[in-house]
Amino acid sequence: LPVAHFSQPVAPLPHLPVGSCGPCGPCISPPLSCSHSFPSDDAMGYSDDLPPPPRSAPSRALESRTAAVSSGAPGSGSFVLSMLASENRWELFHFGEGRPLEQQALEFLREKRLKAALAPGLASKMRSMINAGLTRSSVDIVDLI
């Protein structure tokens, strides 16, 4: 390992006293060349015999989420998009999957007196929320252009 050269002495770590190599206490050797023995992983209670983590198929998770949203289960199919319409002015847009997204986007923009030219970008953001399974998200109006 390369040795770093410092113009000023390096302060010791606050949790280890000077000349200490760790749990074995004082040591006159630098930590990398210390010959003290440390407790083994087995002695510390660590083991490589842990069971593997549970397996899951990402497509199964997507299928179940899609089924829950399309079935109209409580709390599903309802989305909230917070849109920064101007400096310090946030508009909340509640939408669902029951009607065409473009139609809902146009209605929201008309209600808030915003340009209809933003509708394709807004519908795209809505679609991305649905596809990602996000029930809440936020967007800056400039990102819809």
Side-chain angles (χ1 to χ4, degrees):
L1 293 171
V3 177
H5 298 281
F6 298 97
S7 58
Q8 297 178 359
V10 177
L13 295 174
H15 62 281
L16 293 177
V18 176
S20 174
C21 64
C24 65
C27 180
I28 58 171
S29 303
L32 293 176
S33 62
C34 175
S35 62
H36 287 96
S37 62
F38 295 95
S40 68
D41 285 348
D42 292 334
M44 294 298 291
Y46 302 120
S47 172
D48 290 331
D49 299 332
L50 296 174
R55 298 185 63 162
S56 66
S59 62
R60 285 282 185 182
L62 179 61
E63 287 172 13
S64 64
R65 184 181 73 230
T66 304
V69 169
S70 61
S71 70
S76 66
S78 180
F79 302 88
V80 179
L81 179 60
S82 301
M83 184 171 68
L84 182 60
S86 63
E87 190 172 331
N88 296 323
R89 184 178 138 219
W90 287 91
E91 298 290 351
L92 282 181
F93 178 29
H94 297 267
F95 66 96
E97 292 183 278
R99 297 181 326 158
L101 299 179
E102 292 77 9
Q103 178 185 356
Q104 294 179 74
L106 279 169
E107 289 172 3
F108 171 76
L109 294 169
R110 193 175 307 119
E111 177 186 315
K112 300 300 178 184
R113 299 178 189 244
L114 298 168
K115 296 185 185 256
L118 299 171
L122 182 54
S124 176
K125 177 64 178 177
M126 296 160 66
R127 198 169 289 107
S128 71
M129 286 176 62
I130 293 168
N131 291 337
L134 298 173
T135 58
R136 297 179 90 53
S137 187
S138 61
V139 68
D140 190 325
I141 196 168
V142 298
D143 296 330
L144 301 177
I145 299 172

